[in-house]
């Protein structure tokens, strides 16, 4: 369904006189956009039903900003991607009280996350080849974003809605990075 919608979208919005390779890029981008939009909509509906929409929104922002630069595991189908994204996002938000209850453990985890992201990023996937200079640039951005999000967690520690949601986002991105490092096809 997503591929058909993306194909329709590209055929109606992209001029017909472009190269096939460029059209494939537009198609892939449209497919990714639609998949991400559907994932977020399902996740927000789940957050609304659980009465945790603000946490889900904060988690999604923290997660997406970092995930784009870190990479990691990618599900093999759109359905599995949307399903896993929803489960992972909602589970992370439901675990928010743990980060507040154990502040010292959370501090140690944040330091470990910064080190792991510095080592792992970017976790590559065969569908997104990246040159070595671009990899170095993405790694720097991933480290900066991780440090900034960690500082925001410390700065807003007394506002659990913010600090716990961002902590969950960092943990989730890191787990997906580790998983992708070992599972993604090389």
């Amino acid at each position: 369904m997503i591929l058909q919608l993306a194909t329709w979208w590209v055929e109606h919005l992209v001029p017909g006189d472009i190269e096939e390779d460029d059209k494939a890029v537009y198609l892939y981008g449209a497919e990714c956009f639609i998949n991400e939009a559907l994932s977020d909509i399902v996740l927000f509906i789940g957050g609304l039903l659980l009465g945790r929409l603000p946490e889900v929104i904060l988690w999604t922002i923290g997660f997406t900003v970092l995930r784009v630069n870190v990479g990691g595991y990618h599900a093999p189908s759109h359905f599995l991607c949307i399903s896993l994204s929803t489960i992972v996002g909602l589970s992370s938000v439901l675990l928010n009280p743990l980060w507040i209850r154990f502040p010292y453990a959370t501090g140690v985890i944040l330091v470990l996350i910064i080190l792991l992201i510095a080592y792992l990023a970017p976790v590559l996937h065969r569908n997104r080849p990246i040159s070595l200079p671009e990899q170095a640039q993405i790694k720097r951005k991933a480290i900066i974003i991780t440090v900034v999000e960690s500082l925001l967690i410390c700065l807003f520690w007394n506002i659990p809605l913010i600090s716990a949601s961002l902590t969950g986002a960092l943990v989730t991105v890191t787990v997906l990075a580790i998983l992708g490092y070992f599972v993604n096809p090389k």
Side-chain angles (χ1 to χ4, degrees):
M1 178 183 99
I2 291 175
L3 180 58
Q4 290 89 354
L5 184 57
T7 302
W8 179 87
W9 194 9
V10 169
E11 286 175 358
H12 287 83
L13 296 178
V14 177
D17 59 344
I18 65 166
E19 298 286 329
E20 278 302 311
D21 287 346
D22 291 337
K23 194 171 188 175
V25 170
Y26 285 118
L27 180 62
Y28 179 73
E31 201 175 340
C32 290
F33 177 80
I34 293 166
N35 185 75
E36 184 66 32
L38 286 174
S39 292
D40 288 347
I41 288 167
V42 171
L43 186 59
F44 294 160
I45 290 170
L48 192 61
L49 292 174
L50 291 173
R52 303 263 180 122
L53 185 58
E55 291 103 313
V56 168
I57 291 170
L58 285 169
W59 179 88
T60 301
I61 292 168
F63 176 84
T64 303
V65 168
L66 186 56
R67 169 84 160 150
V68 166
N69 291 286
V70 172
Y73 175 76
H74 289 278
S77 71
H78 294 298
F79 177 77
L80 195 56
C81 177
I82 293 168
S83 300
L84 289 176
S85 295
T86 302
I87 292 167
V88 165
L90 294 177
S91 298
S92 181
V93 167
L94 291 173
L95 292 173
N96 277 357
L98 289 176
W99 309 123
I100 302 307
R101 183 168 178 168
F102 302 105
Y104 294 113
T106 301
V108 170
I109 288 170
L110 290 177
V111 171
L112 288 174
I113 285 172
I114 292 169
L115 295 173
L116 282 167
I117 296 299
Y119 176 75
L120 293 173
V123 178
L124 302 178
H125 191 277
R126 70 173 174 222
N127 291 345
R128 187 176 177 216
I130 300 172
S131 68
L132 287 176
E134 192 178 0
Q135 286 180 37
Q137 182 182 10
I138 291 170
K139 180 183 277 295
R140 279 191 300 278
K141 282 174 49 179
I143 293 168
I144 290 168
I145 292 166
T146 305
V147 169
V148 167
E149 287 190 15
S150 296
L151 290 173
L152 287 171
I153 290 165
C154 295
L155 185 64
F156 293 105
W157 187 257
N158 290 330
I159 306 172
L161 179 101
I162 297 172
S163 61
S165 298
L166 290 178
T167 301
L170 284 174
V171 168
T172 306
V173 170
T174 306
V175 168
L176 290 174
I178 294 167
L179 187 60
Y181 182 81
F182 290 107
V183 174
N184 284 358
K186 305 296 182 222

